[in-house]
Structures are given as C-alpha cells and as structure tokens.
Amino acid sequence: MEINSSSFIYGQQGLQRSQDKLDQASQKVASASLPAVDQEAPQQPDVYGSQIQDGLIEAKSSVLEAQANANVIEASDKTIGRLIDITV
C-alpha cells in the first residue's frame, strides 16, 4: 500500500518559502540601516512607516508562517504514523 502525504510536501515547501521571505526581510532591514553613499539628504520615511519597520513586520510574519507550516508537517507526520499503525 502506498501512502501519499501531499500535506507533508506542502508543509516543507511553505517552510522553505517562509525562510526565503525571512531572508529578504532581514536584507531589507540591514540595507535600510546602512547609509547610502550617493545620498545627500536624509531619506524621508514612507507614509506608513520606514523600511526598517516594514522589514521587521515582514520578518515576524515569516516566523508565524514558518510556525504554521511546521504544524502542518507535524500533523502530517502524526497522520502517517496512525495510517501505518492501522495498516500494519
């Protein structure tokens, strides 16, 4: 009997995407905190916040997404374990 767990695969893919988003958000915070070489006047903050704030919000969102995807992987693992126990 073949047991196909697409939820496990989706959880892994989601975990990878959230890691990529966290990397991008970290890069955004790091680059916003460094002064630009060719910048003469101080940078005006965006209407709804600065790049640092946006990066930190995106980073927190990525962490929450990673936790949700980890829960999907855990639930899939438990389900597969139960299926194996039932079929053996």
Side-chain angles (χ1 to χ4, degrees):
M1 177 181 180
E2 183 179 331
I3 299 174
N4 185 1
S5 177
S6 60
S7 60
F8 188 81
I9 294 168
Y10 290 135
Q12 284 182 319
Q13 290 172 348
L15 198 57
Q16 182 62 45
R17 278 192 307 271
S18 59
Q19 177 63 44
D20 293 341
K21 287 181 183 179
L22 182 59
D23 291 342
Q24 291 172 358
S26 300
Q27 181 63 36
K28 182 185 262 188
V29 171
S31 65
S33 62
L34 296 174
V37 175
D38 60 348
Q39 185 177 3
E40 294 179 13
Q43 191 177 29
Q44 295 294 326
D46 296 336
V47 175
Y48 296 107
S50 70
Q51 284 187 332
I52 294 175
Q53 291 171 334
D54 292 343
L56 292 174
I57 291 169
E58 290 171 12
K60 182 61 177 178
S61 174
S62 297
V63 168
L64 294 174
E65 288 176 19
Q67 290 171 342
N69 286 306
N71 289 340
V72 169
I73 292 171
E74 182 181 8
S76 176
D77 182 46
K78 288 180 181 179
T79 302
I80 290 173
R82 289 186 186 123
L83 286 174
I84 291 172
D85 289 342
I86 291 171
T87 59
V88 172

